[in-house]
Amino acid sequence: MFRDDLLAGKRILITGGGTGIGLSIGRRYLSLGAELVICGRREQVLAEAAEELQRDTGGRVSFKACDIRDAAQVDALLDWAWTEGPLDGLVNNAAGNFIAQSETLSPRAIDAVLGIVLHGSAYMTIGCGRRWLAAGRRASVLSIITTYAWTGSAYVVPSAMAKAGVLAMIRSLAVEWGGRGVRLNAIAPGPFPTAGAWERLVPKPELAAAFEAKNPLKRAGRHEELANLASFLMAEEAAYINGEVVTIDGGEWLQGAGQFNFVGSMMSQADWQALKPRK
Ligand code: HXC
């Protein structure tokens, strides 16, 4: 789909890059010539991911443990990353989420999700942006949000609040920083199964099956499909795309939105025939 050197010469930081979607995006970026910096809370997970990625792609990966809820840790991580040379890209991928009846949420539960998704993405984006703007350097930020950033969703309320905030952040900064060489976009994925998300969000096999059944394409997303989109948006060739959110969900959220979408499952062929105008 792309030239092998699409991302050559770019140094890209992926938060939560040791597992799940972040790991898949990192693998694709390396195969397209990028150098990677990954962070996450668990050093051992990062070390294993870095080794696997370097073995599989021959690319360069450095890593450091960082809890992005802590602004001081984010600043230290960025100082460390910049000692090797400036970054060219940031992927705000790290997230925290679980399904729960909202009336049961404790303050700490709400803060855990908002801290990772909203505050963590803001600390990272503004920390990188400050460094890029001071150096007059071109750069690209990609944030992984969800389609319920604009629809909202029952049972994942802190996540919906936080992802909506990240979308507002990238649209705001796209205008504030775009003219100074820093552009920001988002991807809104539908269901892309990962161990971390699925154990917290899809605790029963019937729920996993329902994700596929209610999707117009009757399947979940494949990681390589998301990684290709993330590569396209990160590349310099997409330089005029700024402040945009691209949905990749097989049509899932529209399926839930269109007023007549349910009709197809309740009409037989005979019902449709009976509706045809008579001559
Ligand atoms: C209710 C819960 C809970 C649950 C944790 N808490 N899990 N409350 N239901 N299932 C509460 C705890 O009781 C505690 O509050 C508070 O949250 C903090 O929990 P800790 O375990 O101490 O926090 P921590 O270890 O920091 O874990 C953070 C986390 C966890 C967000 C709670 O789930 C996590 O580490 N997630 C990271 C990975 C992840 O979530 N990936 C999925 C992202 S998917 P009290 O008051 O008891 O102390 C995504 C998009 C999905 O974002 C789109 C899908 C289609």
Side-chain angles (χ1 to χ4, degrees), residues 103-118:
E103 64 274 26
T104 69
L105 290 171
S106 70
R108 268 176 46 79
I110 295 166
D111 290 352
V113 175
L114 287 170
I116 298 168
V117 179
L118 184 63

Side-chain angles (χ1 to χ4, degrees), residues 15 78 81 89 125 128-129 137 143 151 168 170-171 184 192 197 227 230 238 248 251 253 255:
T15 66
L78 295 180
T125 304
C128 287
R137 202 173 169 85
S143 294
T151 62
I170 69 115
R171 285 183 164 154
L184 304 95
F192 282 81
I248 177 164
W253 86 269
Q255 167 79 9

Side-chain angles (χ1 to χ4, degrees), residues 20-21 24 144-145 147 187-198 201-202 211 215 219-229 246-250 252:
I21 284 174
S24 299
I144 309 299
I145 60 165
T147 53
I187 293 178
F192 282 81
T194 65
W198 254 227
L201 295 169
V202 188
F211 265 111
N215 193 295
R219 67 169 174 88
R222 298 180 186 120
H223 281 217
E224 60 271 24
E225 294 170 324
L226 185 53
N228 280 334
L229 177 59
V246 181
T247 299
I248 177 164
D249 73 343
E252 179 194 55

